[in-house]
Amino acid sequence: MSAVTLLFNGRIRTLGAETGVVEAIAIGQDGRVLAVGTREQLDGLVTAGTRRVDLGGKWVTPGFFDCHQHPLWLGLNLGQVSLASPPVADVEDIVRLLRERRAAQPDAVCIQGVNYDQNKLAGRVHPTRYDLDRVAADIPVRIEHTSGHASVVNSRALELLGYGRDAVPPVGGEIERGEDGEPTGLLLETAAWEDQEKIVPAATREEGIEALGRANQYLLERGITSVSDAETQPQEVEFFQHAVWREALRVRANSMIDWAELMDGPEDEDVPTPDEMQPEGYDWHRYHVGQAKLFADGAITTRTCWLRAPFANSDSLGIPIHSPEALRGYVRQAHNQGWQIATHAIGDRAIDEVLIAYALAQRDHTRRLPGHRVEHCMLLDSDLIGRMRRQKIWSIGQPEFLTGLGEAYVAALGEERAALLSPYATLEIAGVAQAFSSDAPVVPGAPLDGLRAARERRTLGGRVLGTGEILDGETALFNYTTAPAFATRTAADRGTLEPRKWADLVVLSADPVATPLDEWESVCVVATMVGGEFLVGGEALE
């Protein structure tokens, strides 16, 4: 078979077990790698019709694989008012930006803002219903915390939600109240998610496809060739499938289906298998439903993750999303039907309960390497790490959190506990399988920023959290490219640049492994290829 494309004169990190760094890569008509090696070794595959691309000494790696992200949420957010800090500095900035959107869209039925973080606002306080009432009193106004685990709404939205003075919050949620007993507008965990269609119109299929198209471009520009949507609602599966059919979504994707939303409860016996959840006529290589997703707790930034010891200067232990019994019921359902389970757990108490649930499910219904995962998996100790290794549980981390949110972690936990978060080096030494991701749009979601964060663990304030947990560049790169393929059970066709795997790769201006951190700004994405086709930046190589 002859090559359709030959990339040569490069420094290509294949991450293959036997090939290492090579000079050239030949790609076949089917978009898969034919061979890697020196230019001379690949000459026999080159014909007059082969496209030759001179890399000019640039570095190439397998495409980045963000195995815990939210591309649909990301794409929808790109159409809303960004309240991220910087540049937003205080509540007045939030009110001003939302008023500008109201003036620009006078017929809007709801004004929405995204990515606010009270930890980065003057006074470190959440806005209130009364702040948002200044934007509009006749229609709902809702702003979403950058973590996705909290929101603030105005008085009209509280009225529509039925969250009055005596309202009972949903299980796993809280309605914050002021000294007068009235809701302040801050909603935590399930209170921020449930019944939102009463105030925010649900995205239509066309809006979902458009959002995924925006996310697709965003991801490709950052070198991401595969992505996992970490909380897909059952009705949103068709958004992804139609986006693939229309070529709006070119990045390879898989969904983690929201398990508690799918089931009627932890004792429901009408449990689908993974095959039964796949969309009709789907192309597994481009999109499939891969995991059952559960939540055990909230976030550190909203002080809702589930802890064994209270938050700093507080008696709060956070918010469990489910009781231990309900969590075990949901895990048992999915485990027994053959699902790989991915459970959000940040606090040490939450991780403990998840590991218990996984162990009980495996004891009662033994499966060979079910590959269950703990998403985020942040506050760990030696006991939890040892149990993860023995149970063969994946840890799915987000190094960007340490940079973008690290100062808030110190404020919430104290510096001693904050330094224990995300012990990546210890996990490696202990033999716990781990893969990296971003959880975007919680943070911007640039793998190059994540690589840097894993190598220095420095917060925006200049503080280093856990110097002993710094990773070397080669391990960090593996965890952003190859490990995610194993963590999503897709390693048969991606994760390394080897024959018969997809030619999914990123061309970089400098070496992501050995470039010193004080020269890191020299490392940038030049081009991104999916299935042998440059979708971003190819013209820069002509």
Side-chain angles (χ1 to χ4, degrees):
M1 183 183 295
S2 60
V4 171
T5 302
L6 177 72
L7 307 182
F8 67 96
N9 190 27
R11 287 171 284 187
I12 303 168
R13 289 188 178 275
T14 68
L15 273 68
E18 300 178 359
T19 46
V21 179
V22 299
E23 174 195 358
I25 181 170
I27 301 166
Q29 188 171 7
D30 60 357
R32 295 177 183 264
V33 175
L34 282 176
V36 296
T38 65
R39 172 71 185 273
E40 291 73 20
Q41 288 172 330
L42 304 188
D43 271 347
L45 300 173
V46 177
T47 67
T50 300
R51 178 190 181 195
R52 300 167 176 83
V53 178
D54 188 341
L55 294 171
K58 296 179 179 63
W59 289 83
V60 174
T61 74
F64 295 121
F65 191 155
D66 196 329
C67 66
H68 180 120
Q69 207 212 56
H70 301 271
L72 179 58
W73 179 22
L74 170 65
L76 291 169
N77 275 11
L78 290 171
Q80 303 299 342
V81 181
S82 175
L83 304 177
S85 303
V88 169
D90 53 30
V91 171
E92 291 305 311
D93 282 345
I94 290 176
V95 172
R96 174 179 54 80
L97 290 169
L98 294 173
R99 280 176 167 172
E100 290 174 359
R101 174 58 63 92
R102 177 73 195 272
Q105 297 180 354
D107 297 329
V109 298
C110 178
I111 302 298
Q112 299 180 67
V114 297
N115 286 344
Y116 91 88
D117 185 352
Q118 89 286 0
N119 297 290
K120 297 179 181 179
L121 299 177
R124 291 193 169 191
V125 295
H126 294 275
T128 70
R129 63 190 289 184
Y130 306 109
D131 296 315
L132 301 189
D133 285 347
R134 294 158 54 199
V135 176
D138 57 328
I139 63 172
V141 180
R142 179 182 188 269
I143 62 173
E144 188 171 63
H145 193 268
T146 188
S147 67
H149 290 265
S151 67
V152 179
V153 299
N154 69 344
S155 296
R156 178 57 177 157
L158 286 172
E159 179 185 347
L160 293 172
L161 288 167
Y163 287 167
R165 183 184 184 92
D166 299 320
V168 177
V171 175
E174 288 186 7
I175 302 170
E176 186 187 70
R177 291 179 168 84
E179 293 182 0
D180 60 0
E182 291 291 334
T184 66
L186 176 62
L187 307 176
L188 299 172
E189 297 306 328
T190 56
W193 312 334
E194 293 190 2
D195 295 329
Q196 292 304 294
E197 68 278 0
K198 293 180 179 179
I199 60 172
V200 180
T204 65
R205 186 172 73 185
E206 290 304 313
E207 290 169 339
I209 294 169
E210 182 180 345
L212 287 169
R214 288 193 293 265
N216 180 75
Q217 185 66 22
Y218 185 97
L219 300 176
L220 289 171
E221 289 172 354
R222 287 154 182 77
I224 296 169
T225 58
S226 287
V227 66
S228 296
D229 188 273
E231 189 189 1
T232 303
Q233 303 303 314
Q235 69 274 16
E236 293 169 348
V237 170
E238 68 166 346
F239 296 179
F240 284 86
Q241 184 63 4
H242 282 266
V244 168
W245 285 342
R246 296 190 195 178
E247 300 289 316
L249 184 63
R250 302 293 299 277
V251 172
R252 303 187 196 281
N254 77 277
S255 280
M256 304 180 199
I257 202 74
D258 187 334
W259 192 256
E261 182 71 18
L262 180 68
M263 306 305 297
D264 288 334
E267 302 305 321
D268 187 355
E269 296 181 358
D270 186 18
V271 185
T273 66
D275 286 344
E276 291 169 342
M277 284 302 302
Q278 303 307 323
E280 184 177 353
Y282 75 103
D283 180 348
W284 184 91
H285 300 290
R286 296 189 62 188
Y287 173 70
H288 68 282
V289 177
Q291 294 80 30
K293 174 67 182 295
L294 287 164
F295 287 85
D297 67 348
I300 300 173
T301 51
T302 52
R303 303 198 178 198
T304 54
C305 66
W306 195 12
L307 302 174
R308 288 169 168 165
F311 287 96
N313 304 312
S314 169
D315 59 1
S316 172
L317 296 172
I319 301 176
I321 302 302
H322 305 289
S323 69
E325 294 74 22
L327 179 64
R328 293 169 195 177
Y330 282 124
V331 166
R332 182 175 60 252
Q333 288 172 336
H335 176 86
N336 289 352
Q337 286 296 78
W339 286 88
Q340 180 186 26
I341 305 171
T343 306
H344 169 119
I346 288 179
D348 46 8
R349 176 66 190 278
I351 297 169
D352 179 31
E353 292 293 345
V354 171
L355 294 180
I356 290 171
Y358 286 166
L360 290 174
Q362 180 71 349
R363 184 197 67 186
D364 295 340
H365 181 81
T366 302
R367 289 170 48 191
R368 183 179 179 276
L369 297 177
H372 298 327
R373 306 168 23 158
V374 176
E375 310 299 305
H376 311 303
C377 201
M378 296 187 71
L379 189 55
L380 293 162
D381 58 23
S382 59
D383 172 67
L384 294 172
I385 290 172
R387 287 159 61 191
M388 290 187 69
R389 177 183 57 78
R390 291 191 297 273
Q391 292 179 232
K392 297 181 171 56
I393 304 299
W394 279 91
S395 170
I396 309 299
Q398 296 78 32
E400 277 183 87
F401 282 8
L402 298 170
T403 299
L405 308 174
E407 290 298 317
Y409 295 162
V410 173
L413 298 173
E415 189 155 5
E416 183 177 348
R417 266 197 296 177
L420 300 176
L421 293 169
S422 304
Y424 301 138
T426 297
L427 288 167
E428 289 288 337
I429 293 169
V432 175
Q434 62 177 329
F436 288 162
S437 57
S438 72
D439 203 22
V442 174
V443 292
L448 288 177
D449 291 344
L451 286 172
R452 178 175 188 161
R455 292 179 58 190
E456 68 175 357
R457 299 176 65 91
R458 188 178 301 277
T459 72
L460 293 176
R463 194 186 326 243
V464 177
L465 295 179
T467 55
E469 301 299 342
I470 289 172
L471 285 185
D472 63 274
E474 189 169 359
T475 301
L477 179 64
F478 180 89
N479 287 350
Y480 263 110
T481 52
T482 309
F486 287 102
T488 54
R489 299 174 167 178
T490 58
D493 69 7
R494 66 196 79 170
T496 62
L497 295 174
E498 297 177 284
R500 299 307 306 152
K501 292 197 176 185
W502 293 110
D504 296 350
L505 55 85
V506 57
V507 182
L508 301 169
S509 58
D511 185 7
V513 168
T515 298
L517 292 174
D518 60 2
E519 300 175 13
W520 194 253
E521 299 305 322
S522 67
V523 187
C524 63
V525 173
V526 176
T528 306
M529 172 182 281
V530 178
E533 180 180 357
F534 281 116
L535 299 182
V536 165
E539 64 280 356
L541 300 174
E542 297 295 339

